[in-house]
Amino acid sequence: MAKEKTLFVCSECGGTSPKWLGRCPSCGAWNTLIEQVAAAPGGGNNRFGAPYASLAGSAELAVLSEIEATDIERTPTGLDELDRVLGGGIVDGGVTLIGGDPGIGKSTLLLQATDALQRAGRNALYITGEESGAQVALRSRRLGLELSQVQVLAEIQLEKILATLDATRPAIAVIDSIQTVYSDQLTSAPGSVAQVRECAAHLTRFAKASGTAVVLVGHVTKEGALAGPRVLEHMVDTVLYFEGDTHSSFRLVRAIKNRFGAVNEIGVFAMTERGLKGVANPSAIFLSQHAEPVPGSVVLVTLEGTRPMLVEIQALVDNGGPSPRRLSVGLDRDRLAMLLAVLHRHAGVACMDQDVFVNAVGGVRISEPAADLAVMLAITSSLRGKPLPKGFIAFGEVGLAGEVRPAPRGQERLREAAKLGFSVAVVPKANAPRKGAKEIEGLTIHPVERIEEAMNVVRGLE
């Protein structure tokens, strides 16, 4: 019997090599080549089968300015926070990939969404490869969906899934999860790079040809990235990440890629006994309830997509000895080290022999540089042991020269803070309301151009 031919496939990019190499020749990643049995050479037929033969026809050329730009029709999912992340709802023929840690609530959210769509008159199909139909039914009972009319299919073979989709033509189909699906055309095991890539390609082509919206659930690696080849993220139209601490009841759904809407939008959910419930005012969950102001606490107005959100930044400065520690939770640790250097050089606040700990309350992750000013004021407040005044907020980017740079959409941030009852703000001068502009009622604004000015303003408020 002839030996089966093998090749080595990169788990990061999907590139192939005829022999094992320590470094992938395609993407340069180390120790990512995995041996797999090569697929048998087929005939001249398209490997995607007869239903997609029409895609091979030549298309007519069109001038860009003459193409009619029409708005994309969306179908609301019935979950307002999920619709916000998707850009308004699901799109016919759109393919969405959602990933997150095990047990964080991906299946729960999608089961609630498919049930809401089914009740709105849209045919929904839930395909489960990790659980039996009885387990899905048990979850639906816990969520209070006893009378749900969502169709369920427990299957992992791609050809059977495609045949069912072609016969039923649902408005939305959920595949939970793509790592469990396999095709008979390949000999590798489910979850391998080749299987994930091929199965996702077949399902994507079916969605585009039929108009069915397909949602793929993806596993994540221990580093938090979506498992499988990176090409999987390029195939789909929308990539969503489920974030949050499993010890907390709050979950964030973040859009990383969206061909039909804005990216970096977030939806906030609370996990309850009856499933995930949208949080209309997320600022309330990221602010601690202090009876009196405490040292080291500053409220930051951050921007997540188009949504201004208030987050409490906490800092603790303590004696560190000969090897002081720098630790941040929810913020970039390298940027914290840079801010401490700027604080020392331009404001005369030295933390060289101090441990510095910074935390963003509520498990939220802040990546925008507009948090710089709030972090520096929180560190100074903790070091001096003096709290900032009640109703105080701050935002602004701080440069290496000590200048305070403006943050985008500053007026919206200020209005959000005023709406929630905050009364004092230290902001970049460029973000302050211009002369003649309408003042923000109830908010006293102190514009600053440098970090030294911000420190002097805060000392004057104490």
Side-chain angles (χ1 to χ4, degrees), residues 63-71:
V63 179
L64 183 60
S65 61
E66 297 177 357
I67 299 176
E68 184 180 359
T70 57
D71 291 334

Side-chain angles (χ1 to χ4, degrees), residues 29-48:
W30 288 92
N31 299 321
T32 57
L33 291 179
I34 301 172
E35 186 177 14
Q36 293 184 1
V37 178
N45 295 331
N46 189 333
R47 62 175 176 166
F48 291 108

Side-chain angles (χ1 to χ4, degrees), residues 69-238:
T70 57
D71 291 334
I72 301 171
E73 293 186 6
R74 301 175 184 274
T75 303
T77 62
L79 303 176
D80 292 341
E81 291 296 304
L82 181 59
D83 289 339
R84 171 188 284 272
V85 179
L86 292 173
I90 63 170
V91 177
D92 291 344
V95 183
T96 302
L97 174 64
I98 180 168
D101 294 330
I104 203 167
K106 301 185 297 297
S107 301
T108 298
L109 178 67
L110 293 175
L111 191 58
Q112 289 180 253
T114 51
D115 179 73
L117 286 165
Q118 184 72 39
R119 282 188 278 107
R122 307 278 287 182
N123 188 17
L125 175 59
Y126 191 94
I127 300 172
T128 172
E130 299 183 344
E131 300 173 312
S132 65
Q135 289 173 306
V136 177
L138 185 62
R139 179 188 292 116
S140 71
R141 304 297 188 274
R142 292 199 305 268
L143 299 177
L145 309 177
E146 293 87 355
L147 303 178
S148 177
Q149 299 299 307
V150 175
Q151 300 178 82
V152 178
L153 173 67
E155 183 58 62
I156 61 174
Q157 187 180 352
L158 176 67
E159 287 72 22
K160 293 181 180 179
I161 292 174
L162 288 174
T164 303
L165 290 173
D166 191 48
T168 59
R169 294 297 176 106
I172 181 172
V174 175
I175 313 295
D176 187 7
S177 65
I178 188 61
Q179 274 82 10
T180 62
V181 181
Y182 75 96
S183 172
D184 282 339
Q185 298 178 7
L186 301 175
T187 56
S188 53
S192 63
V193 172
Q195 287 283 10
V196 171
R197 182 178 60 235
E198 291 298 311
C199 293
H202 279 284
L203 291 167
T204 300
R205 284 177 175 261
F206 174 83
K208 301 305 179 186
S210 66
T212 296
V214 174
V215 180
L216 307 177
V217 177
H219 295 169
V220 294
T221 63
K222 60 183 179 181
E223 289 83 14
L226 281 163
R230 199 63 189 267
V231 69
L232 187 61
E233 297 183 34
H234 295 284
M235 287 181 187
V236 301
D237 300 310
T238 306

Side-chain angles (χ1 to χ4, degrees), residues 316-329 331-341 344 349-358 379:
L316 176 62
V317 181
D318 197 11
N319 292 329
S323 300
R325 299 180 63 193
R326 308 285 186 254
L327 181 64
S328 63
V329 179
L331 297 144
D332 186 5
R333 189 173 67 174
D334 293 334
R335 194 163 188 87
L336 172 61
M338 184 194 77
L339 295 178
L340 289 173
H344 179 211
V349 179
C351 299
M352 294 174 293
D353 58 346
Q354 305 285 320
D355 286 337
V356 179
F357 306 98
V358 179
I379 292 170

Side-chain angles (χ1 to χ4, degrees), residues 225-435:
L226 281 163
R230 199 63 189 267
V231 69
L232 187 61
E233 297 183 34
H234 295 284
M235 287 181 187
V236 301
D237 300 310
T238 306
V239 179
L240 306 180
Y241 273 90
F242 226 118
E243 300 175 0
D245 187 354
T246 53
H247 302 291
S248 171
S249 62
F250 299 108
R251 305 285 189 269
L252 302 180
V253 179
R254 187 185 303 272
I256 303 300
K257 170 189 176 181
N258 194 349
R259 289 176 180 159
F260 306 118
V263 295
N264 287 327
E265 285 285 0
I266 69 164
V268 185
F269 294 89
M271 180 65 80
T272 67
E273 294 180 354
R274 290 288 184 174
L276 289 161
K277 305 294 183 184
V279 178
N281 182 18
S283 296
I285 68 176
F286 299 127
L287 296 177
S288 295
Q289 301 299 324
H290 300 297
E292 294 294 332
V294 296
S297 174
V298 176
V299 175
L300 160 72
V301 189
T302 186
L303 203 66
E304 291 287 354
T306 59
R307 169 186 283 183
M309 195 163 61
L310 275 70
V311 177
E312 182 181 357
I313 303 295
Q314 293 180 339
L316 176 62
V317 181
D318 197 11
N319 292 329
S323 300
R325 299 180 63 193
R326 308 285 186 254
L327 181 64
S328 63
V329 179
L331 297 144
D332 186 5
R333 189 173 67 174
D334 293 334
R335 194 163 188 87
L336 172 61
M338 184 194 77
L339 295 178
L340 289 173
V342 174
L343 199 59
H344 179 211
R345 173 61 66 89
H346 297 288
V349 179
C351 299
M352 294 174 293
D353 58 346
Q354 305 285 320
D355 286 337
V356 179
F357 306 98
V358 179
N359 175 42
V361 173
V364 66
R365 297 176 187 173
I366 300 173
S367 57
E368 68 164 349
D372 293 350
L373 185 58
V375 170
M376 296 173 82
L377 293 178
I379 292 170
T380 306
S381 172
S382 177
L383 181 64
R384 300 175 65 214
K386 293 187 177 182
L388 292 162
K390 192 172 183 178
F392 179 89
I393 61 138
F395 62 85
E397 179 184 355
V398 178
L400 290 177
E403 77 279 11
V404 180
R405 298 174 180 170
R409 305 176 69 174
Q411 299 303 304
E412 293 184 28
R413 298 177 194 241
L414 292 172
R415 282 193 290 269
E416 178 72 10
K419 186 174 70 175
L420 293 175
F422 287 82
S423 55
V424 183
V426 173
V427 301
K429 188 174 182 179
N431 287 135
R434 299 184 183 277
K435 290 182 179 180

